[in-house]
Amino acid sequence: MIMDWTHAAPTILAAFLASLVEFVEALTVVLAVGAVRGWRGALGGTGLALFVLLVLVALLGPAMTRIPQDLVRIGLGTLLLLFGMRWLRKAILRAAGIIALHDEEESYAKESAALRALGLAHGWDRIAVSTAFKITMVEGIEVVFIVIAVGAGGQGLLVPASLGALAALLLVVALGVALHRPVAMIPENMLKFLVGVLLCAFGTFWVGEGMGVDWPGEDWALAALNAGFLAASLVLVRLCRARAAATVPVS
Amino acid sequence: MAWAKTMWDEFYGLFVDDGSLAVAVLAWLAVCWLILPRLGVTSLWHSALLFTGLVVILAESALRRARQRR
């Protein structure tokens, strides 16, 4: 099968970067659970959540193929836009200094302190299992959604999207095993900015396709949408910074 | 039930942070899908309006939040 790289490359990139951000956030909590309450519960909860997520993908994947392609594009494109716009808005506000940057080291310290305060258990630690299960499910559902949303809009794109997410998972697991501490060296806030741009571009493209819009330049319009959202976001960072500076803080 | 509510809250939170941003995006997509084609807007303008409207909605939401800085 010949791959259409004008679609496959941004699909792999979007799935890889978005999944990377989510996996790094999950890894921080799983590491805290493992270090404070033991690795049996941490890995047990993570494994259980991964199993549930696989079942979810196995059920949702085939169901998608039974829905008309235009409706899938409009539905998933709309969800992708809601998700991407929320993400991009937050990234713009973080870059402008209006809301605090996300810090994995700080999250790790907070999570560790909270888990320590709950006291230790013997045998299967329910708190460890449920904490690891919950964070893996929450971040994993986001990854599943991203993979399906960026992959299901076009023919044969689900495989490249899944490969992008799998590569991110392997990278984060390798870093976690090697470092045994939160992966703080990945510029997470900049990644979120770029992922927000990619998701908005994909969402707009799929929604437009579903509505029957003939994009000028066809598939190359996706690159133009990425450039457009990136340029607009960079301008918005400056405008938000100026707007915040001109506003008297409320005490 | 608490478990189901938590899952629903997490799912809802994936897509909605600023409620008015979400409503504006949905309203604009509805306009682009259902109204613009009936007005005889050409495909080129349709795509340009779809993108521009989304950027305007994003800008309004971000600038409104910037104004509310604490």
Side-chain angles (χ1 to χ4, degrees), chain A residues 74 78-79 82-83 85-86 89 93 98-99 138 142 145 204 211 213-216 225 228 236 243-244 247, chain B residues 7 10 13-15 17-18 22 25-26 29 33 43-44 46-47 51 54-55 58-59 61-62 65-67 69:
Chain A
I74 288 180
T78 301
L79 290 177
L82 291 174
F83 187 72
M85 295 273 269
R86 183 191 71 108
R89 173 183 177 270
L93 294 171
I98 291 159
I99 57 175
V138 167
E142 294 193 38
F145 165 70
T204 309
M211 290 175 184
V213 168
D214 291 322
W215 288 104
L225 285 169
L236 275 173
R243 179 65 63 92
T247 307
Chain B
M7 289 305 290
E10 295 287 352
L14 282 184
F15 304 105
D17 179 7
D18 173 11
V25 168
L26 292 176
L29 294 182
W33 189 21
S43 198
L44 182 65
H46 197 170
S47 53
F51 168 73
L54 291 170
V55 169
L58 177 65
S61 174
R65 177 63 184 82
R67 214 170 36 237
R69 182 189 179 197

Side-chain angles (χ1 to χ4, degrees), chain A residues 13-247:
Chain A
L13 186 68
F16 175 78
L17 293 178
S19 305
L20 190 64
V21 171
E22 303 298 349
F23 289 139
V24 164
E25 288 182 3
L27 178 74
T28 300
V29 177
V30 172
L31 283 174
V33 173
V36 174
R37 307 197 67 95
W39 289 102
R40 192 158 77 144
L43 295 177
T46 305
L48 189 62
L50 287 176
F51 174 74
V52 175
L53 288 168
L54 279 175
V55 172
L56 207 63
V57 173
L59 291 175
L60 280 179
M64 286 294 170
T65 59
R66 298 202 186 97
I67 306 170
Q69 184 83 346
D70 281 350
L71 284 182
V72 170
R73 285 175 170 169
I74 288 180
L76 287 179
T78 301
L79 290 177
L80 207 49
L81 266 174
L82 291 174
F83 187 72
M85 295 273 269
R86 183 191 71 108
W87 211 340
L88 189 52
R89 173 183 177 270
K90 203 177 256 184
I92 288 167
L93 294 171
R94 279 190 174 135
I98 291 159
I99 57 175
L101 296 177
H102 187 79
D103 183 345
E104 288 303 327
E105 298 278 8
E106 193 185 326
S107 298
Y108 182 81
K110 272 187 188 168
E111 193 67 41
S112 298
L115 288 165
R116 215 169 274 127
L118 292 169
L120 291 178
H122 297 288
W124 276 102
D125 183 349
R126 280 179 58 188
I127 292 167
V129 173
S130 65
T131 307
F133 177 81
K134 190 185 163 200
I135 191 67
T136 310
M137 276 300 289
V138 167
E139 305 299 343
I141 281 177
E142 294 193 38
V143 171
V144 168
F145 165 70
I146 290 164
V147 167
I148 289 177
V150 299
Q155 204 73 34
L157 289 180
L158 214 46
V159 172
S162 305
L163 289 177
L166 185 65
L169 175 66
L170 293 176
L171 177 63
V172 170
V173 168
L175 286 172
V177 168
L179 299 173
H180 268 279
R181 62 185 177 82
V183 187
M185 81 285 258
I186 289 179
E188 204 178 330
N189 294 296
M190 196 185 78
L191 272 185
K192 283 183 171 173
F193 194 98
L194 292 177
V195 171
V197 167
L198 281 164
L199 296 183
C200 286
F202 265 100
T204 309
F205 188 81
W206 290 143
V207 163
E209 291 260 295
M211 290 175 184
V213 168
D214 291 322
W215 288 104
E218 296 179 2
D219 289 350
W220 289 102
L222 191 55
L225 285 169
N226 273 304
F229 275 110
L230 180 62
S233 302
L234 291 173
V235 170
L236 275 173
V237 170
R238 284 175 159 250
L239 289 176
C240 285
R241 204 175 282 149
R243 179 65 63 92
T247 307

